[in-house]
Amino acid sequence: MIAVGTPAPMPTADIGSTNMQANKKIAENVAAAPNLSALFAAVQAAGLIDTLINPGPLTLFAPTNAAFARLPPGTVEMLLKPENKAALVRILRYHIVAGAITTEQIRERVKAGGGKARYTSIDGEPLVIQIIHDAISITDANGNKSYIETANLRQANGVVHIVGGVLLPKLD
């Protein structure tokens, strides 16, 4: 029972045997989520903790450990090497869009766009979003599709959508 005058508890979402708490920043919640440990390791290696802890608002399309595991063998290990930091930074920044964007807003924009919506990542690269059989599909610059698996996880500085694939920008 909540006493009169006591604020209601912040809503949480169960993500990989931990809870994402709406009063915490994106970096804090990603660090605490066991199913996002590969993402957090990559964020640390890329030096992007500050990006995910800044006031935002930001939207993070967060790939799961399973998404990273679907990359070709050795890819994650290669990207985590210091000499590949620039590519890792570009890949991770490709998963972040300015603003707190909910799936409801995405659906409205897709409808208004005649079936597609374009968003620009903070890296300046385009993401194309469509609704396919009621699922939200994100297509990267290489034509690869990822889908939102868990949506609208509110954060103190934005929104996280858990996705089933790693989005890849065009790398030189």
Side-chain angles (χ1 to χ4, degrees):
M1 183 169 179
I2 298 173
V4 176
T6 303
M10 295 298 263
T12 60
D14 186 27
I15 302 297
S17 75
T18 192
N19 287 326
M20 282 207 169
Q21 299 178 10
N23 63 338
K24 291 188 176 181
K25 303 255 178 134
I26 294 171
E28 296 169 303
N29 279 317
V30 169
N35 70 327
L36 300 178
S37 61
L39 173 62
F40 189 68
V43 167
Q44 285 181 306
L48 292 176
I49 297 287
D50 287 346
T51 300
L52 296 180
I53 209 143
N54 82 38
L58 300 170
T59 296
L60 171 64
F61 296 103
T64 62
N65 293 345
F68 279 100
R70 283 192 286 280
L71 291 173
T75 301
V76 174
E77 294 79 10
M78 182 218 30
L79 287 170
L80 292 176
K81 291 181 179 179
E83 62 268 24
N84 297 319
K85 183 177 178 179
L88 180 61
V89 167
R90 287 204 51 221
I91 290 168
L92 293 174
R93 288 175 52 88
Y94 193 52
H95 289 81
I96 304 168
V97 175
I101 304 164
T102 66
T103 54
E104 292 79 16
Q105 292 167 319
I106 290 170
R107 288 178 186 282
E108 288 173 13
R109 191 161 168 184
V110 167
K111 185 177 179 182
K116 289 185 181 179
R118 288 191 175 276
Y119 287 89
T120 302
S121 71
I122 64 168
D123 198 44
E125 297 292 326
L127 295 168
V128 177
I129 299 183
Q130 295 175 281
I131 309 299
I132 300 174
H133 303 294
D134 205 40
I136 297 176
S137 162
I138 306 162
T139 304
D140 68 21
N142 299 293
N144 302 308
K145 288 190 185 321
S146 179
Y147 294 87
I148 294 178
E149 296 177 352
T150 305
N152 301 323
L153 301 171
R154 303 283 181 168
Q155 314 286 299
N157 61 340
V159 176
V160 170
H161 301 291
I162 306 297
V163 296
V166 176
L167 304 166
L168 298 172
K170 292 277 185 193
L171 296 172
D172 302 328

